Every structure is written in C-alpha cells, then in structure tokens.
Amino acid sequence: DQDQACVVLSVSFNTTGKMKDPDGQFLDMEMEAAGEIWRAPGIGQDLKVAINGKVALKAAVAERQIQMSVTGPLVITEERKLKP
C-alpha cells in the first residue's frame, strides 16, 4: 500500500464500560466491532483502518424515573496518504 510493506491486522472487540456525558452524567456503554488495520511497520504508522460494528448507550434519569437507551452503528475509518 503506497509503496510501503504492510501487515494486515484483523481486529475484533466486545467491550462494556461507563462513559461520562458533557453534563457529568454516567452512561453505560457497550461496543462490539470487527475490522482490519493496515500497518506499515517500516515507518511505524497505520495507513488504513476499517472497523464496523454497533454501539449502545444506556442511562437512567432518576429524578424522572426514565430509562434511556440508544443503539446504532459504529464506523471507524482512516486512510493516510504519504507524501512522496
């Protein structure tokens, strides 16, 4: 890729945790994704990333007794062009 020898890394992850929103509230977060990373070890850089999956955020608003849940696609892409 771009005259650089690359190693293609197949990656997948399934993770859960907490995320703080801009108002300081904590949301439960789940992410599941898989994809590939094209890494050029000769220059120590990733030249391309393509990862797809899904993400879910959940929170409770105690003072209103509301449960909120948002689920949607997760797309992580990057492509680097090297200067000649």
Side-chain angles (χ1 to χ4, degrees), residues 54-71:
K54 65 180 180 177
V55 63
L57 300 173
K58 298 176 186 173
V61 182
E63 62 272 5
R64 296 197 182 155
Q65 298 179 353
I66 297 172
Q67 286 285 350
M68 178 184 75
S69 177
V70 178
T71 303

Side-chain angles (χ1 to χ4, degrees), residues 38 46-51 76-80:
W38 287 261
D46 295 339
L47 299 183
K48 185 176 177 183
V49 176
I51 298 174
I76 302 170
T77 59
E78 177 185 15
E79 190 161 346
R80 232 175 243 182

Side-chain angles (χ1 to χ4, degrees), residues 2-4 10 12 15 18 22 30 35 39 43 50 53 57 64:
Q2 302 184 49
D3 296 330
Q4 290 291 323
S10 292
S12 65
T15 186
K18 297 213 178 272
E30 297 177 15
R39 181 162 295 161
I43 58 173
L57 300 173
R64 296 197 182 155

Side-chain angles (χ1 to χ4, degrees), residues 6 19-20 23 30 34 47 52 77:
C6 287
M19 181 179 99
K20 199 175 199 181
D23 296 325
E30 297 177 15
L47 299 183
N52 294 286
T77 59

